[in-house]
Every structure is written in C-alpha cells, then in structure tokens.
Amino acid sequence: LNDTDASNQSAAVFGQATWHATDSSRLVLGARYNDDQLTHKQTVSAIPGTLPEAPPGSVDAKTDDQGGSWRLIGEHDIAEDAMVYASYARGYKGPGSNSLPSGPTSGSVFVDPEIPTSYEAGIKSQWLDNRLRLNGAVYYSTFKDFQASAQVPDAFPPIFFLTNAGELETQGVEIEMNANVLENFDVQASLAYTDAIFSDWDDAPCYARQTEAQGCVNGVQDLSGADMPFSPDWAVFLAGTYYIPVPSQP
C-alpha cells in the first residue's frame, strides 16, 4: 500500500522591457521572481507475505523556496529579415519531491532547486522573399544542482528517486532550415551537436549491483566528467512536406 498526498503551490511575478538603441539595434531585459511551497505526505506499508514496492515508512514534510531568473538579450538587424543576437540568462527550476513509488525512505524527501546559467549567440533570418528560413546558434550552459534520477542500489524491483547532481555542463551548435522549394513542397532540416557532461558529481548514488571495482565506494560513485545519459552527441532531422490542394465545393 502506498498512500501519497503531494501538493505544489507556485506564485510568480515577471516582466520584460525593450530599449531600441537605434533603428536596427535593441536591448531586451526580462526578469521573474518565483515563490514555491511544497508539502509531501506518504505512508508505505505491506500486507504480510507480499513484496513491497518501496521500504515501509511514513513522512510528513513541507518546504518552501524563493528564486529569481532573468535574461539579457542584445539584437541587431543585419538585413531587412535577418537578425543576430547574443544573450545571457539565469533560470530557476523549483524544488521537487520524491513522490514516485520510491517511497519515503529513498533519498531525501525534497530536492533542491535547479539553477541553469546560459550563454548563447546566433542568427535568425529569412531570405529569397521568405522562401528560405535559416537559423543557427552556439551555446554554453551550466546547471547547478541538476535534478537527476537515480536508482536505489540492490533494490528489486528497481526503485528510482530524484536527487541533485552537483553540476551539469552542456555546450553545442544548432542549425535549422526551412525551404519552400516548390509552390506546394517544403523541406525542413536541422543539425545539432551537443556535449553534455557532469562536471562535478563526486557523490552520485551507485546503480544496482555495482561493485567497488566498478567505482562504488560506501554507496556512492564519482561521476565527475561522465557523459549525461540519453544525450546523443549528434541529432539530425530531415523531412519533406508536399501540400495537395483540394478544391472546395460550392
């Protein structure tokens, strides 16, 4: 039996302002302030002789957090339908709770907020009477206290819970194109390169049945410098769309 009652209340105030420095240059500043309140109540028990999905126990906890985020963008028009930009941004992802079937004894009840910081520069443009759209960007981001999923060692069936990784770094390049090749035929394409690593996570939980020879010491492992799971280096997309006109009936 797993009885869980979790609530999350979030309030925010935000705004954005644009300063037109010249006819072709702009400076944009946006800011947001968040207030989050979380409560988590959970009781796990088992009927005798059955396999519980989580260790028995109970918890009744609450937490609150406040955080700010902002973004500063500089834009410059290099042509009538082409703009280059550069931005600096700080984000905020509020705290979370372990309300999954991991149970109240799997890791901490709450995880700390995730704070990303991002630097980006790129171009957004349209050419050939708007028949060709071409966008590109380069970026570098860090995520402090990245909210990651981990596994309870030696648990069967597998038990997963949320935890905070020390720091995640991502950097890469993205290019996308949309071309109206013929009157009714469009081609869409994109190419992305992403390098994502845990730059600082020396106390990551071990995975199930991980041995000391595999890096598990006192229930933790050092993943600093390791690649982020499920984040491929390259991503490619190519599609063609043909529109068939259907005459309307009177």
Side-chain angles (χ1 to χ4, degrees):
L1 302 176
N2 191 337
D3 183 16
T4 303
D5 182 10
S7 67
N8 185 346
Q9 296 183 359
S10 180
V13 57
F14 58 91
Q16 179 171 296
T18 301
W19 175 47
H20 294 267
T22 67
D23 291 340
S24 58
S25 299
R26 296 165 298 281
L27 194 64
V28 183
L29 174 63
R32 180 186 182 99
Y33 179 80
N34 271 71
D35 181 276
D36 293 297
Q37 298 183 11
L38 282 73
T39 61
H40 183 75
K41 300 178 181 179
Q42 185 175 22
T43 299
V44 176
S45 57
I47 299 174
T50 65
L51 180 67
E53 67 171 348
S58 62
V59 64
D60 185 351
K62 62 176 58 179
T63 188
D64 63 87
D65 191 84
Q66 297 78 37
S69 56
W70 57 83
R71 188 180 188 191
L72 178 64
I73 314 168
E75 302 174 347
H76 179 69
D77 299 329
I78 59 175
E80 184 178 359
D81 294 311
M83 176 195 72
V84 293
Y85 69 93
S87 70
Y88 164 70
R90 180 188 187 275
Y92 171 82
K93 181 180 180 181
S97 64
N98 273 308
S99 58
L100 303 176
S102 55
T105 58
S106 302
S108 301
V109 177
F110 299 108
V111 293
D112 294 332
E114 176 184 309
I115 308 297
T117 302
S118 177
Y119 305 87
E120 182 178 333
I123 181 173
K124 295 182 181 294
S125 62
Q126 295 189 131
W127 309 92
L128 305 177
D129 294 328
N130 296 334
R131 296 183 60 185
L132 174 63
R133 180 182 302 150
L134 185 62
N135 300 329
V138 295
Y139 67 90
Y140 171 78
S141 302
T142 62
F143 298 80
K144 181 182 178 182
D145 290 329
F146 179 75
Q147 295 176 2
S149 177
Q151 184 178 357
V152 176
D154 302 323
F156 183 82
I159 298 174
F160 297 92
F161 64 98
L162 290 175
T163 188
N164 289 110
E167 187 175 78
L168 174 73
E169 288 186 9
T170 64
Q171 56 187 336
V173 180
E174 297 178 350
I175 301 173
E176 62 178 9
M177 180 266 300
N178 190 319
N180 179 220
V181 181
L182 300 173
E183 183 179 359
N184 298 325
F185 181 58
D186 290 350
V187 174
Q188 302 91 29
S190 65
L191 175 67
Y193 170 75
T194 304
D195 179 27
I197 64 169
F198 291 107
S199 56
D200 181 17
W201 196 11
D202 56 6
D203 58 350
C206 299
Y207 56 82
R209 294 180 295 280
Q210 183 179 4
T211 65
E212 186 172 343
Q214 294 171 322
C216 182
V217 179
N218 297 324
V220 298
Q221 59 176 324
D222 188 356
L223 291 182
S224 301
D227 291 335
M228 181 183 178
F230 310 111
S231 178
D233 290 342
W234 293 95
V236 180
F237 173 79
L238 178 63
T241 305
Y242 184 79
Y243 302 92
I244 302 177
V246 178
S248 61
Q249 298 296 325

